Amino acid sequence: MSLYLYLRKRLLKKQISLLDQGFATAAVICYYWYRIPSLLGVGLYPNDGVLIDLSAHLPIWFALLSKCLTAIFFVWFMLIRARNKAKQSWNIRPEYSVKVTRVC
């Protein structure tokens, strides 16, 4: 938090958006760094939060591979890929099929 606040104070307004995206990406990566292996039973605490226990079927290096692939995916997904903001679903008001008329 201190690093974020320090950088936010020192950067220009145009760079703050990139800083926000970078720290948001880092937060998501940190969460999934530990969560994905735990869901499959190969994390640091094998019995904590297991969705399906695949520890007997997955090789020992799978935990590190899943962490790295997850980090690469979220860096691409949140920072690198091109986004068309005009076509994002929350920016477009949905069309309603039924027009409601008020009867008094």
Side-chain angles (χ1 to χ4, degrees), residues 22-37 67 70-71 74-75 78:
F23 271 82
T25 302
V28 171
I29 288 171
C30 286
Y31 174 77
Y32 284 109
W33 184 269
Y34 295 100
R35 192 67 191 130
I36 296 289
K67 291 175 182 182
T70 302
F74 280 113
V75 166
M78 296 180 79

Side-chain angles (χ1 to χ4, degrees), residues 55-75:
S55 59
H57 306 288
L58 296 174
I60 193 77
W61 47 264
F62 177 78
L64 181 61
L65 178 68
S66 69
K67 291 175 182 182
C68 292
L69 290 177
T70 302
I72 291 168
F73 170 75
F74 280 113
V75 166

Side-chain angles (χ1 to χ4, degrees), residues 35-101:
R35 192 67 191 130
I36 296 289
S38 293
L39 286 173
L40 302 176
V42 294
L44 293 175
Y45 306 103
N47 295 327
D48 187 29
V50 175
L51 180 64
I52 183 169
D53 189 8
L54 297 176
S55 59
H57 306 288
L58 296 174
I60 193 77
W61 47 264
F62 177 78
L64 181 61
L65 178 68
S66 69
K67 291 175 182 182
C68 292
L69 290 177
T70 302
I72 291 168
F73 170 75
F74 280 113
V75 166
W76 170 80
F77 185 75
M78 296 180 79
L79 294 177
I80 298 173
R81 76 180 168 106
R83 285 174 274 220
N84 188 352
K85 292 186 179 187
K87 292 187 178 182
Q88 290 177 342
S89 63
W90 57 84
N91 287 336
I92 300 171
R93 184 180 176 103
E95 294 182 27
Y96 296 102
S97 60
V98 178
K99 192 172 188 177
V100 177
T101 57

Side-chain angles (χ1 to χ4, degrees), residues 9-32:
K9 188 174 184 179
R10 299 283 184 225
L11 295 175
L12 300 173
K13 288 191 177 199
K14 292 180 181 179
Q15 297 169 328
I16 289 176
S17 176
L18 183 60
L19 177 72
D20 292 345
Q21 290 176 352
F23 271 82
T25 302
V28 171
I29 288 171
C30 286
Y31 174 77
Y32 284 109

